[in-house]
Amino acid sequence: MDLVFRARRAVTPAGEQACDVGVTDGRIVAVEPPAAALTADRVIELGGDEVLLPGLVDTHVHVNDPGRSEWEGFESATRAAAAGGVTTIVDMPLNSLPPTVDRAALEVKRETAAGRVHVDVGFWGGAIPGNGRELAPLHEAGVFGFKCFLLHSGVDEFPPLGEEELEADLRRLRALGATMIVHAEDAGTIDHAPRPHGTHYRDFLRSRPRGAENLAIARVIELARRTGARVHILHLSSSDALPMIASARRDGVALTVETCPHYLSFTAEEIADGATQFKCCPPIRESENRELLWRGLAEGVIDCVVSDHSPCTPELKRFDAGDFGAAWGGIAGLQVGLPAVWTQARQRGFGLADVVRWMARRPAELTGMRRKGRIAVGADADFCVFAPDEAFVVDAAKLRHRNPVSAYHGRPLAGVVRGTWLRGREVTGERPRGGLLVRGSV
């Protein structure tokens, strides 16, 4: 074998255990008890305070490249991912120029990323008005599914689908065997809510009520039921929707759901006036809502936790005015997602095996990545060496994404990533060795 990891603690599909993990040609070829004493050209023995995790899979990342690379870029985003133990990301189709809504735009995206990524990168396609005929070619080209909005996306070049268009596209995707991933907030509800303005977070929260999410999710469920298509709800913020999600699944609707570290970490009550680094859509809600999201994870109603890394330049956050209405909505959390979730999870009695399920195994399964997200024979040798009991305070200036803006700045977190390995090679951030993924290739 090329490489063996000797770990007193490793999280495998069988749970947390001591084991030796053997690697040949970038794949895991053995997972054995320590008594097997596997040998290799190189042996890495983890410290007693370290745990071997599978590399995380983050299926909700806005790289914004090309076109808005001053917000982020493939090199900076994938360095941040690796620093946070993430070995696979799937890039969203919007905020780049052009958006990934046809095959030509996908090729531009791939050409931009080629040779510049430090972790493996896949791509989502986009579903917008008028591009229904582009969905099959994008699917054939290997995107992992299609994203749509039900309200203004924040950028004019990626408009929302109306209900008839959404149903038509769902029927197309049902025929292809593809998944629609949905930003589910109802435009009409938000149009009739108070307008976001000023420095008070409570005013912004009123502008994006839970009812907007609840109504949109109910409509998506009914369209998924009617068409038989697979649908995934993005960045669930409203815990009110959990009972209807659970009910739909009992009825056999092909529905999955994600939430994000910021919804599990922060609460509306703690967000100070003018702290626009916390603005995201849908918004961070109250503490009671946060606890119900954690219950949704515990009960399996929420499938996975992904970052929704949506960075921008500091100017777009409008720190000069602290105006929640004018600021760009998005949280840059790609690098700190693992310690953020672990900090909260351990306080609620969850273990690292739970975190791995939410942040590695389930995202891989939901995108059809059979070789990602687990420490098992045949899987890619993607690893995160994690020290769960070491604490640190987040310093935005030291994070690896492009702009030093983070809602986590100054926050103490538990868990430090000490090393990240992609297909058997340590990721140092110096030489890009990541690959561009095609659906079905992993």
Side-chain angles (χ1 to χ4, degrees), residues 77-428:
T78 56
R79 280 195 186 99
V86 178
T87 52
T88 305
I89 67 171
V90 187
D91 174 54
M92 283 292 166
L94 74 157
N95 298 343
S96 58
L97 294 169
T100 316
V101 295
D102 56 39
R103 193 160 183 165
L106 176 63
E107 291 309 310
V108 170
K109 182 75 70 87
R110 285 177 169 159
E111 289 171 6
T112 303
R116 299 174 56 212
V117 296
H118 296 270
V119 301
D120 285 350
V121 178
F123 302 96
W124 295 108
I128 63 172
N131 85 322
R133 292 183 179 179
E134 303 292 342
L135 303 185
L138 277 166
H139 179 73
E140 292 166 4
V143 298
F144 283 84
F146 297 87
K147 180 176 186 177
C148 72
F149 277 75
L150 305 185
L151 78 171
H152 194 280
S153 68
V155 290
D156 293 336
E157 67 272 7
F158 201 96
L161 291 178
E163 190 162 331
E164 290 184 4
E165 295 164 313
L166 176 59
E167 181 173 353
D169 280 353
L170 287 175
R171 293 190 185 281
R172 291 183 177 101
L173 298 190
R174 171 69 175 84
L176 294 171
T179 300
M180 181 74 87
I181 63 175
V182 184
H183 183 125
E185 289 182 283
D186 179 67
T189 301
I190 290 175
D191 286 345
H192 288 88
R195 305 308 301 163
H197 67 283
T199 62
H200 299 313
Y201 184 76
R202 64 178 178 271
D203 293 329
F204 171 65
L205 192 57
R206 292 189 189 107
S207 77
R208 313 288 290 215
R210 295 189 196 194
E213 272 192 275
N214 303 337
L215 180 57
I217 290 171
R219 287 175 174 166
V220 169
I221 286 171
E222 288 313 304
L223 288 175
R225 191 193 311 272
R226 187 183 308 169
T227 62
R230 289 201 310 270
V231 174
H232 180 76
I233 301 297
L234 298 168
H235 45 50
L236 180 70
S237 162
S238 172
S239 63
D240 294 349
L242 292 170
M244 75 172 106
I245 292 166
S247 176
R249 283 181 169 162
R250 286 193 296 270
D251 291 345
V253 177
L255 179 70
T256 52
V257 182
E258 70 184 40
T259 193
C260 304
H262 41 276
Y263 300 129
L264 299 170
S265 297
F266 305 121
T267 64
E269 295 91 337
E270 69 183 326
I271 297 175
D273 289 353
T276 54
Q277 65 269 30
F278 290 93
K279 180 182 176 180
C280 57
C281 299
I284 294 162
R285 303 193 188 278
E286 301 85 355
S287 58
E288 179 185 8
N289 183 84
R290 178 182 66 175
E291 297 313 308
L292 290 171
L293 291 177
W294 276 105
R295 183 184 298 177
L297 276 170
E299 295 174 353
V301 181
I302 299 172
D303 295 272
C304 59
V305 182
V306 292
S307 70
D308 189 10
H309 179 71
S310 185
C312 65
T313 60
E315 293 76 18
L316 288 175
K317 276 297 186 182
R318 294 304 307 271
F319 294 123
D320 57 336
D323 187 336
F324 282 97
W328 174 260
I331 287 180
L334 180 56
Q335 183 172 336
V336 296
L338 173 57
V341 172
W342 172 237
T343 298
Q344 298 293 324
R346 71 191 308 198
Q347 295 174 12
R348 293 166 175 81
F350 297 105
L352 282 171
D354 298 306
V355 174
V356 164
R357 182 174 68 254
W358 301 327
M359 302 187 77
R361 181 169 64 84
R362 285 298 284 149
E365 291 172 347
L366 294 175
T367 47
M369 297 184 190
R370 297 183 298 276
R371 298 205 313 266
K372 299 293 187 181
R374 59 198 176 96
I375 297 176
V377 173
D380 284 354
D382 299 346
F383 305 112
C384 166
V385 177
F386 189 58
D389 296 323
E390 184 177 348
F392 72 105
V393 176
V394 177
D395 181 348
K398 295 180 180 179
L399 298 178
R400 305 298 295 272
H401 64 262
R402 176 146 296 166
N403 293 291
V405 176
S406 173
Y408 295 92
H409 177 69
R411 193 172 184 90
L413 296 178
V416 171
V417 174
R418 291 187 178 166
T420 301
W421 297 71
L422 178 68
R423 284 178 270 109
R425 290 184 170 184
E426 188 169 15
V427 184
T428 63

